[in-house]
Amino acid sequence: MKFVVLGGTSGLGLCLSMILLERGHSVTILGRTDPRIDGAEFVRFNLLSDDVRQVARLAEEADGLILTAGAGRAAAFEDLQDWEVQNAFRLNAEGAAKVLHAVYGRIRGERDFYCAALSSVAGLLASPLMAVYGAAKAASEKLVESINAELREAGKNNRVLNVCPGFFSGTRFDGGENQLEKVRPMAEELLERMFRRETFWIPRYEEVYRGVLERYHADPEAFALDSCRYKREGGRLSKGNHGRVGFLSGTFDLFHIGHLNLLRRAKQYCDYLVVGVHPETSKHKNKPVFIPLEERMEIVGACRYVDKVVVTLDEDDDMHKQIPYDLLFVGSDYKGTERFRRYEENLTPLGVRIIYFPYTQGTSSTQLREAIERNVGKKES
């Protein structure tokens, strides 16, 4: 059988993908970072920005879909960035809804289709210090519960397994490293329950979470206050793990499809994309600029892949002091240049990764400038 695993690049999703491959199934992994697993097909995909119709096309030829993509962190509500709040709902709630809706024809069809979606125990009770994550997961949990009711009412055989785990080690969720041997028992049980067409599962329910849920329902306010103390005293709060920030800069004069493709590709790698626009031409290019700065910034900011637009300095490494980004994007034609060797020396110790995108043929600003100059020359003559 063939399976699509959305979010299969790390943690539980990665472990599920490996088990499916071991069992002889075909696996297509969708995510932001290639896990480089032999035998698996990888498709770079960011649920925050990419078209879910791509998932639907893959699911049409598949026998199952497992949705494990999600993100969040333990932090006080006041410490969250605005974009973290937005992304929590876009990824954990809206993203899950859009994917399941996109593949619903396959789920509701007559052919067998196995499906599982990862929610969280945090969505079943008060989750202070994980308030936004818990609220978003509550939405996805109720969504799947309702979908299953509709499938049952329509007399359909396929179901979506609603998986609501609590804390489990072996993943990067809390900033740790993948330790798939710790995740494997949960992954194997998830697959067995999915193949049995179960609709709801809380891992470690009897030994841990039954008591947790009973305490919550007995006195929600007392439980919430205890939860605050547990997270604070247990050192589970995170100050910096709020997602990957990406940065790229350019003049973006005479905006064209090449610019759009650059922004789209950059967004596939990060949670929050900041784009720096040069006030005039960059000193590294020294080409004429036709469009005023304010208009170029407004055009770039209107692109759905861009989260923030700033006026940039000439040197990208200097911008790191203003925008502490994790990823720097640039075309591959700059790789190996003196400028970017210096960037690598300066930024690598800060934990920054430079991603070089291969140059692609197509419309360029140079071509547009030459066409404009030729046209102006004809009119003057």
Side-chain angles (χ1 to χ4, degrees):
M1 290 190 288
K2 182 174 182 178
F3 288 88
V4 177
V5 182
L6 178 50
T9 63
S10 180
L12 181 61
L14 178 61
C15 191
L16 288 163
S17 300
M18 295 179 69
I19 293 172
L20 289 169
L21 287 168
E22 290 170 9
R23 296 181 180 182
H25 301 299
S26 174
V27 177
T28 299
I29 296 173
L30 278 69
R32 297 187 308 188
T33 305
D34 189 349
R36 302 188 184 281
I37 300 177
D38 290 341
E41 177 188 7
F42 172 71
V43 177
R44 195 173 303 282
F45 186 86
N46 187 344
L47 193 52
L48 292 171
S49 59
D50 288 323
D51 193 337
V52 295
R53 287 177 294 184
Q54 186 176 4
V55 183
R57 287 192 292 269
L58 292 169
E60 187 61 34
E61 303 300 322
D63 301 286
L65 167 72
I66 303 176
L67 176 58
T68 65
R73 68 181 177 115
F77 188 61
E78 64 185 5
D79 290 335
L80 297 175
Q81 303 291 323
D82 288 345
W83 61 268
E84 286 186 87
V85 175
Q86 175 179 281
N87 282 359
F89 284 96
R90 288 179 60 199
L91 182 61
N92 298 307
E94 179 186 339
K98 289 170 68 175
V99 168
L100 290 173
H101 189 261
V103 304
Y104 195 59
R106 187 69 180 86
I107 297 173
R108 204 174 186 279
E110 300 304 319
R111 288 190 295 149
D112 286 345
F113 190 77
Y114 301 97
C115 189
L118 201 66
S119 184
S120 173
V121 164
L124 301 177
L125 39 72
S127 298
L129 303 179
M130 292 189 74
V132 176
Y133 175 78
K137 285 298 188 180
S140 65
E141 189 277 324
K142 289 303 176 189
L143 169 74
V144 177
E145 182 181 359
S146 300
I147 288 173
N148 282 324
E150 291 186 23
L151 290 169
R152 189 177 300 108
E153 188 269 341
K156 302 300 180 180
N157 292 324
N158 295 324
R159 297 288 185 271
V160 181
L161 175 61
N162 198 353
V163 185
C164 295
F167 174 79
F168 57 96
S169 59
T171 77
R172 295 176 181 169
F173 185 87
D174 279 335
E177 293 299 320
N178 283 323
Q179 299 179 41
L180 301 187
E181 68 279 1
K182 294 183 178 181
V183 185
R184 189 177 183 100
M186 181 190 298
E188 290 179 333
E189 187 170 355
L190 187 157
L191 291 175
E192 295 307 313
R193 290 176 180 270
M194 181 184 72
F195 286 128
R196 291 200 299 264
R197 301 188 191 283
E198 295 186 17
T199 58
F200 185 76
W201 178 46
I202 301 176
R204 301 174 64 204
Y205 175 71
E206 288 296 340
E207 60 267 42
V208 177
Y209 292 106
R210 180 172 182 168
V212 170
L213 290 167
E214 287 175 350
R215 291 199 307 275
Y216 167 67
H217 289 294
D219 192 336
E221 183 176 355
F223 177 91
L225 292 174
D226 285 343
S227 178
C228 285
R229 286 191 290 270
Y230 170 75
K231 293 186 179 91
R232 290 190 187 279
E233 294 172 3
R236 294 192 60 196
L237 298 191
S238 168
K239 292 294 184 182
N241 185 27
H242 36 54
R244 284 181 286 187
V245 177
F247 178 79
L248 63 86
S249 68
T251 306
F252 296 99
D253 193 33
L254 306 175
F255 195 91
H256 55 76
I257 190 65
H259 292 135
L260 183 63
N261 288 337
L262 173 64
L263 298 174
R264 178 170 55 236
R265 294 185 68 181
K267 182 62 177 181
Q268 286 184 318
Y269 287 80
C270 60
D271 300 281
Y272 190 73
L273 179 61
V274 182
V275 177
V277 179
H278 291 284
E280 298 298 337
T281 185
S282 166
K283 73 175 185 180
H284 304 289
K285 290 188 176 181
N286 194 28
K287 295 180 180 179
V289 175
F290 294 97
I291 309 298
L293 171 64
E294 293 76 12
E295 294 180 17
R296 286 183 280 125
M297 293 183 70
E298 188 169 346
I299 291 169
V300 172
C303 178
R304 66 187 180 96
Y305 305 113
V306 177
D307 297 293
K308 184 177 182 179
V309 183
V310 297
V311 178
T312 192
L313 304 173
D314 273 320
E315 301 296 349
D316 291 338
D317 56 347
D318 288 339
M319 284 300 297
H320 191 269
K321 301 168 187 175
Q322 298 181 23
I323 308 291
Y325 53 80
D326 305 290
L327 302 169
L328 174 62
F329 306 104
V330 70
S332 59
D333 49 330
Y334 287 97
K335 190 171 186 178
T337 63
E338 180 182 350
R339 175 187 172 200
F340 273 83
R341 285 199 300 270
R342 185 181 76 252
Y343 285 178
E344 290 173 0
E345 292 175 1
N346 293 342
L347 295 172
T348 299
L350 301 176
V352 175
R353 177 186 170 200
I354 301 178
I355 296 178
Y356 297 93
F357 291 138
Y359 178 79
T360 56
Q361 295 292 331
T363 305
S364 71
S365 298
T366 299
Q367 291 172 329
L368 293 175
R369 286 190 188 92
E370 290 175 351
I372 291 172
E373 290 168 353
R374 285 196 302 270
N375 190 51
V376 170
K378 289 179 181 178
K379 288 182 178 180
E380 289 179 347
S381 62

